[in-house]
Amino acid sequence: MQTTTELGRTGEQVSKLSLGAMLMGTRTDEQTSFGMLDRYLDTGGSFVDTADCYAWWPAAGNTGGESETVLGRWFAARGNRDRVFFSTKGSAWVDEPDRYRGKPARPKYAGAAADTLRAALDGSLRRLGTDHIDLYYVHVDDTATPLEETLDALAGFVKAGKIRHIGWSNVRTWRLERILGLCDRHGWPAPVALQQQHSYLRPTAGANSLSIVDDEQLDHLRANPRISLVAYSPILKGIYDDPAKRDGHPSMVDYAGPDADARLARLTALAADLAVTPNQLVLAWLLHQTDPTPITLVGPRTPEQLDTALGALDIKLSDEHLTLLDG
């Protein structure tokens, strides 16, 4: 069964294993999505995550909004909105997905201007069939819009009761510190969650990704316990289980090197000793972390992948196991 942790310093208890719904409504059909969501709740899970732009990229005809639409239908069919702590995101909507689908070019995101976020939030509420969002993220940090404009708009959404808490994702530490300072200065609601890519492998020296947690960001989170780390892509698209998949995989670009090789060797050996998969062991390792305590966000595409992730809840790691993995 699931265990919970406090979200920041809000007093809100949420599942330490959060269910991402990114592919629901596209690669995962509606009936299968309903079953996976039901299964997650049956294990005691309570924290479901999506975004307004999920998911425009799987196939022609996908535009974004599909995941929220399926979740809205699930809420309506089950009458369970009050049982779920729900997060979604704005600012990363893509207006012309056909221009970018299957191409390496970075899409042009909608951004975090006040009017843009207002329209995005209203669209999310409509698709979800709800009157409020528990946690609303700025999905991709927008350096072209003054932070004051974005934060003032978010404060207005909180005051209007449309969102309860705010978060940020894909953001550098110096920007996060500036956000917190502005919130303190103006009395605006401050972020209570930081959603970043975080896994057992550590980024290599010189890796330059605003999305991956590095040592500086971990130190910042330790010094600011009012913000919870929500760790997305914790198994890096499943590369831990398959050495052939790791070879040349895009997820390894920021991690490959001697440190990764050593950690993978220890992980694989311990997983074999415990009779679990390396992917499951990574999830269990994250669920055992306390400094800081992350919320681990999994995004399974199939019921089998969900069951594999849920299996990590039953893996108990001793201090010796954790020392071995961290050594």
Side-chain angles (χ1 to χ4, degrees):
M1 293 296 288
Q2 294 263 8
T3 57
T4 63
T5 188
E6 185 179 7
L7 182 69
R9 289 294 180 262
T10 65
E12 192 86 52
Q13 290 291 316
V14 298
S15 301
K16 290 181 72 174
L17 188 69
S18 175
L19 179 61
M22 181 172 69
L23 297 177
M24 294 184 182
T26 52
R27 288 181 177 158
T28 307
D29 65 40
E30 184 168 311
Q31 181 179 357
T32 304
S33 298
F34 278 28
M36 292 168 65
L37 290 159
D38 291 341
R39 169 88 171 106
Y40 173 71
L41 258 63
D42 287 345
T43 68
S46 62
F47 189 0
V48 176
D49 175 90
T50 191
D52 65 345
C53 65
Y54 294 163
W56 58 264
W57 55 89
N62 296 152
T63 62
E66 291 89 352
S67 174
E68 289 180 334
T69 298
V70 164
L71 287 163
R73 290 174 181 159
W74 179 67
F75 287 142
R78 302 294 190 262
N80 61 1
R81 174 66 182 87
D82 292 340
R83 289 184 58 196
V84 177
F85 186 90
F86 185 78
S87 62
T88 192
K89 315 177 191 74
S91 81
W93 183 270
V94 174
D95 278 331
E96 299 179 88
D98 289 340
R99 292 183 56 190
Y100 304 104
R101 189 180 296 109
K103 300 179 176 65
R106 179 185 173 94
K108 177 176 171 46
Y109 298 126
D115 288 344
T116 302
L117 286 181
R118 190 171 295 110
L121 176 58
D122 287 345
S124 291
L125 291 169
R126 182 178 63 255
R127 287 185 290 271
L128 291 160
T130 186
D131 62 357
H132 73 281
I133 306 296
D134 297 304
L135 174 61
Y136 191 71
Y137 291 96
V138 172
H139 195 167
V140 177
D141 190 33
D142 175 11
T143 57
T145 299
L147 282 171
E148 291 85 350
E149 178 181 345
T150 299
L151 290 165
D152 185 54
L154 292 169
F157 303 157
V158 173
K159 185 175 181 180
K162 291 185 175 183
I163 61 177
R164 295 177 56 212
H165 306 288
I166 71 168
W168 232 268
S169 185
N170 301 299
V171 61
R172 296 197 186 276
T173 305
W174 71 268
R175 286 277 291 180
L176 182 61
E177 180 62 22
R178 184 169 293 180
I179 289 162
L180 294 175
L182 286 169
C183 289
D184 290 345
R185 189 180 314 153
H186 294 278
W188 290 324
V192 301
L194 172 68
Q195 189 174 129
Q196 297 281 91
Q197 183 170 300
H198 184 52
S199 188
Y200 173 65
L201 294 185
R202 299 181 289 203
T204 57
N208 185 30
S209 172
L210 59 81
S211 302
I212 299 175
V213 175
D214 58 13
D215 288 342
E216 180 184 40
Q217 202 155 74
L218 285 173
D219 284 345
H220 190 272
L221 290 164
R222 293 182 186 108
N224 290 278
R226 58 177 165 165
I227 307 173
S228 286
L229 171 62
V230 179
Y232 79 76
S233 198
I235 57 173
L236 302 177
K237 303 188 184 301
I239 56 91
Y240 290 101
D241 278 0
D242 187 351
K245 186 175 183 178
R246 287 197 292 272
D247 187 19
H249 195 283
S251 293
M252 287 297 296
V253 168
D254 291 307
Y255 299 98
D259 183 69
D261 293 342
R263 290 173 82 81
L264 286 164
R266 290 197 178 188
L267 178 81
T268 302
L270 182 58
D273 288 345
L274 297 175
V276 300
T277 70
N279 282 338
Q280 286 179 316
L281 185 53
V282 169
L283 295 177
W285 175 81
L286 281 164
L287 291 167
H288 280 74
Q289 297 303 298
T290 59
D291 189 29
T293 299
I295 296 161
T296 303
L297 174 61
V298 294
R301 180 177 54 83
T302 66
E304 293 76 19
Q305 289 175 350
L306 174 60
D307 285 342
T308 297
L310 292 172
L313 297 170
D314 298 323
I315 300 173
K316 306 303 179 188
L317 299 179
S318 67
D319 290 342
E320 289 76 16
H321 292 145
L322 294 170
T323 298
L324 175 69
L325 290 171
D326 290 332

